[in-house]
Structure formats: C-alpha cells, structure tokens
C-alpha cells in the first residue's frame, strides 16, 4: 500500500473534477513474468464558488465566496478577488468584509480579522485579498452590495469571484436579479 500526492501546481488551475489521473504499477518476477495494472481515478478540487446574491430586508444584497472547498489544499498565498460586473452594484464599505477560516476536519470556524476596505479595494468595482494563513482550510468571504434602484429587477447583476494560485486563475460568477 502506498499514497500518491497530486502536485499543487497540477491543481492550481482547476475548479472542478480532474479526470483520468493515470497511475500504473508494474511487477517483474522470475525474469519472465510481467504483471501490471492501471487505475484512472478522478479528484475534485473546487478553488472558488461564488453564490448568487441574496436580497436582504434592508435592500442590500449579500454575497458569499467559498475558497478551497473541503480544505483539500494549502490555500496560503491564494489571491481572492471580486469584481462587480454591473454598473448598478456598489460595495457597502460601511459593513466589514467577513472572513471565516473553516477546519473541515473538526468543523471549527475561526474569524480572520477583517482588513479595512481602503486596504483591499481596487477602485470602486473590485477588491482583492491574499490568504496569509498556512494550512489546509476552507475560507468563506461574506460582504454586501447596494443595488442602484434603476438596476433592481431589470437584468441579472453579475459579480465575479477569482482565485489565483501559482500563476493559475479560476473564476466563478454569481448574479442577482
């Protein structure tokens, strides 16, 4: 029995199922017998999952980004970015960006200190944050946006989440109508 590890670099650019991971074992014995077997398992790695926006009673829209689902990889150094794809959306910078680190083995949820919006905003329509904690954890980022009255209920208001690790970028889009 042995264990094989998929290289982080092979997983960095995926957001879903990696299929047909080939692994072959060969055995030669008595100089003239050869036996081999190959398996092709699949592996699921979800780097980023962006929820659709949920309208709150106060008129704001709540968004959640999940990073490194299941805590399968070390997320340290992963850059998480969010971009508002609609002119009708704007960030509620009076509310904090909530960041929660989840130990999926124990279910323990630990709040990570929220950065000031001035530290993470790139203009008015995007922000980015780099995960600093070492270890295999899942992360949840929760924040709120305002919807301009002209855009409410007319068309889908897209909101794009991006993760970048080792030069590989993965996107997922949520929307609010």
């Amino acid at each position: 029995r042995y264990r094989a590890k998929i290289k982080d670099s092979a997983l960095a650019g995926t957001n879903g199922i990696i299929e047909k991971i080939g692994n072959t074992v060969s055995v030669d014995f008595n100089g003239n017998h050869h036996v081999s077997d190959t398996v092709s398992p699949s592996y699921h790695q979800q780097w980023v999952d962006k929820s659709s926006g949920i309208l709150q009673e106060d008129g704001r829209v709540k968004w959640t980004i999940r990073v490194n689902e299941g805590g399968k990889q070390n997320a340290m150094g992963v850059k998480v970015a969010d971009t508002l794809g609609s002119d009708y959306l704007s960030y509620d910078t009076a509310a904090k960006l909530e960041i929660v680190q989840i130990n999926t083995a124990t279910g323990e949820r630990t709040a990570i200190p929220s950065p000031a919006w001035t530290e993470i905003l790139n203009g008015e329509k995007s922000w980015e944050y780099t995960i600093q904690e070492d270890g295999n954890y899942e992360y949840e980022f929760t924040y709120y946006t305002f919807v301009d009255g002209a855009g409410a209920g007319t068309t889908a208001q897209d909101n794009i989440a991006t993760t970048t690790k080792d030069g590989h970028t993965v996107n997922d889009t949520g929307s609010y109508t």
Side-chain angles (χ1 to χ4, degrees):
R1 179 182 268 233
Y2 73 96
R3 296 178 72 168
K5 179 172 177 13
I6 302 169
K7 293 180 182 178
D8 285 346
S9 61
L11 297 172
T14 64
N15 202 42
I17 296 176
I18 303 169
E19 295 182 336
K20 298 180 182 176
I21 301 170
N23 191 355
T24 302
V25 62
S26 297
V27 178
D28 290 316
F29 57 96
N30 292 336
N32 60 1
H33 296 303
H34 176 79
V35 178
S36 69
D37 192 19
T38 300
V39 294
S40 296
S42 61
Y43 181 83
H44 181 264
Q45 174 63 39
Q46 188 80 24
W47 277 111
V48 62
D49 180 36
K50 176 67 176 259
S51 71
S52 291
I54 301 171
L55 182 64
Q56 306 297 292
E57 289 183 14
D58 62 8
R60 298 180 305 161
V61 178
K62 179 181 180 179
W63 302 90
T64 301
I65 301 170
R66 291 178 53 215
V67 175
N68 196 26
E69 179 184 318
K72 294 180 180 178
Q73 300 299 314
N74 188 338
M76 187 171 105
V78 170
K79 182 174 76 173
V80 180
D82 185 79
T83 303
L84 301 178
S86 167
D87 290 336
Y88 297 116
L89 294 174
S90 61
Y91 293 110
D92 177 3
T93 57
K96 288 185 175 185
L97 169 66
E98 299 170 20
I99 306 170
V100 176
Q101 178 189 71
I102 304 164
N103 181 328
T104 56
T106 64
E108 180 181 357
R109 299 172 63 87
T110 304
I112 302 296
S114 298
W117 281 102
T118 55
E119 296 173 10
I120 62 173
L121 276 175
N122 293 322
E124 296 180 0
K125 295 293 184 182
S126 70
W127 60 262
E128 68 180 41
Y129 174 86
T130 301
I131 295 173
Q132 302 296 318
E133 296 76 28
D134 192 17
N136 292 28
Y137 300 103
E138 181 175 319
Y139 291 85
E140 280 183 359
F141 295 78
T142 303
Y143 63 93
Y144 296 86
T145 60
F146 296 112
V147 180
D148 180 298
T154 57
T155 59
Q157 311 301 317
D158 288 340
N159 192 339
I160 304 158
T162 303
T163 56
T164 304
K165 180 176 173 75
D166 299 331
H168 299 282
T169 300
V170 177
N171 299 310
D172 192 29
T173 302
S175 65
Y176 164 76
T177 303

